[in-house]
Amino acid sequence: MKSFKKMLVDKGISPSMQRIKILEYLSKNRIHPTADDVYRALVKEIPTLSKTTVYNTLKAFTNKGILTALSVFENEVRYEYEQQPHIHFKCLKCGRIYDINEKYDYLNDKYIAGHKVIEHHVNLKGICKNCLEKEKEDE
Amino acid sequence: MKSFKKMLVDKGISPSMQRIKILEYLSKNRIHPTADDVYRALVKEIPTLSKTTVYNTLKAFTNKGILTALSVFENEVRYEYEQQPHIHFKCLKCGRIYDINEKYDYLNDKYIAGHKVIEHHVNLKGICKNCLEKEKEDE
DNA sequence: AACAATTTTGTAATTATTACAAAAGAGTAA
DNA sequence: TTACTCTTTTGTAATAATTACAAAATTGTT
Ligand SMILES: [Mn+2]
Ligand SMILES: [Mn+2]
Ligand SMILES: [Zn+2]
Ligand SMILES: [Zn+2]
């Protein structure tokens, strides 16, 4: 597998230490983190890290197609490394966001009602398996 | 059709003038407005209207199932009166949000990967019909 | 009218994000 | 090495959406 440095160079982004660390974090932590999550995780290693750098870098990566930005509700953008389109499920109880890998008929790069579709997001909300089990135990 | 006042009473919400006007606005303006859109439209008629009232009312209506809240990206919540589930399409050029009424296999009230689905949102992004036509004209 | 409960209002606080300019770093020609 | 330029990072200030909260206004009831 390609190194993160090489991946950035291939996309025409100069591979600064901050950028490599941010990409590495997104790659290894598939938890759909917010910009603030990324900042809080990395500032431990890089004490001089600036939040502006995190915001700028995440936005730049997204524009280059390295990351995907999503808003599964709420007023904050979340990012993920995964590229394959997939469904997101947000638990209303514990707040976790799950990736769902069931088959799904996607519409990317097609037309619908005359509009050209470029991105396709399916966001579900409900009670996750874990929380359902906990509910049962409490009875 | 039921009056807005009756609709609120039926849901156990006392029908103040502000609440009726807000519900009426959402019902008659199917443009997925933000809280601020609602405020700016109604403050003309009700000069003393407070933004807090608008935020609180929209949230209360949503909890009662009178409105649906959606975030088709960006950092602001939008509301709509429509209850039937449908697809949303956001134009990356003009920013408009369109309702798509194509048939669609919804998952509401089902289980997926063990999780209980309560809400189902399909959000597309791309270039709308209108903007595509404008692009052609400009060539 | 007097009182209690509800609703609205206005302002302050919070949070996510962006703007912007100074500081730091990297690369390169003399 | 130094001088210069270009890029990136940093830190702070500004915006924008939303929420907290308490005072003021309204409504309904004795
Ligand atoms: Mn995902
Ligand atoms: Mn809609
Ligand atoms: Zn859960
Ligand atoms: Zn458009």
Side-chain angles (χ1 to χ4, degrees), chain A residues 1 3 7 15 17 27 43 45-46 61-62 99 106 112 139:
Chain A
M1 51 170 156
S3 72
M7 189 174 307
M17 181 264 281
S27 165
V43 78
E45 280 186 77
I46 314 167
F61 286 1
T62 301
D99 286 333
Y106 283 97
I112 191 165
E139 275 164 22

Side-chain angles (χ1 to χ4, degrees), chain B residues 23-135:
Chain B
L23 182 56
E24 184 184 9
Y25 181 81
L26 267 289
S27 165
K28 294 187 177 163
N29 299 83
R30 307 301 181 100
I31 55 174
H32 309 93
T34 63
D36 200 61
D37 291 335
V38 176
Y39 172 78
R40 288 207 312 277
L42 292 182
V43 77
K44 291 172 197 161
E45 280 185 78
I46 315 168
T48 63
L49 181 65
S50 162
K51 231 173 219 183
T52 303
T53 300
V54 175
Y55 274 101
N56 289 342
T57 303
L58 291 173
K59 184 163 280 187
F61 286 1
T62 301
N63 290 338
K64 288 283 185 176
I66 297 173
L67 298 180
T68 303
L70 38 124
S71 48
V72 190
F73 261 50
E74 287 151 317
N75 47 354
E76 58 187 13
V77 178
R78 290 168 178 276
Y79 293 89
E80 71 178 342
Y81 182 78
E82 182 62 46
Q83 291 307 294
Q84 268 80 45
H86 56 277
I87 298 173
H88 286 115
F89 178 93
K90 157 128 196 173
C91 180
L92 295 168
K93 204 150 196 187
C94 66
R96 254 187 289 263
I97 294 174
Y98 295 83
D99 286 332
I100 304 285
N101 296 308
E102 312 257 317
K103 271 159 275 149
Y104 197 78
D105 185 27
Y106 283 97
L107 294 164
N108 285 339
D109 301 318
K110 292 182 185 170
Y111 285 82
I112 190 165
H115 311 306
K116 182 177 187 180
V117 177
I118 294 173
E119 285 182 42
H120 186 143
H121 300 267
V122 178
N123 301 326
L124 310 180
K125 292 172 79 183
I127 311 293
C128 78
K129 201 174 174 177
N130 247 296
C131 287
L132 287 173
E133 277 163 15
K134 269 188 206 142
E135 273 181 6

Side-chain angles (χ1 to χ4, degrees), chain A residues 76-101:
Chain A
E76 59 187 9
V77 178
R78 289 167 179 275
Y79 293 89
E80 70 178 342
Y81 182 79
E82 183 60 47
Q83 292 308 296
Q84 268 79 45
H86 55 276
I87 298 174
H88 285 116
F89 178 94
K90 158 127 195 176
C91 179
L92 295 168
K93 204 150 196 188
C94 66
R96 255 187 288 264
I97 294 174
Y98 295 83
D99 286 333
I100 304 285
N101 295 308

Side-chain angles (χ1 to χ4, degrees), chain A residues 120-132:
Chain A
H120 187 143
H121 299 268
V122 179
N123 300 327
L124 311 180
K125 292 173 78 183
I127 311 294
C128 78
K129 201 174 174 177
N130 246 297
C131 288
L132 287 172

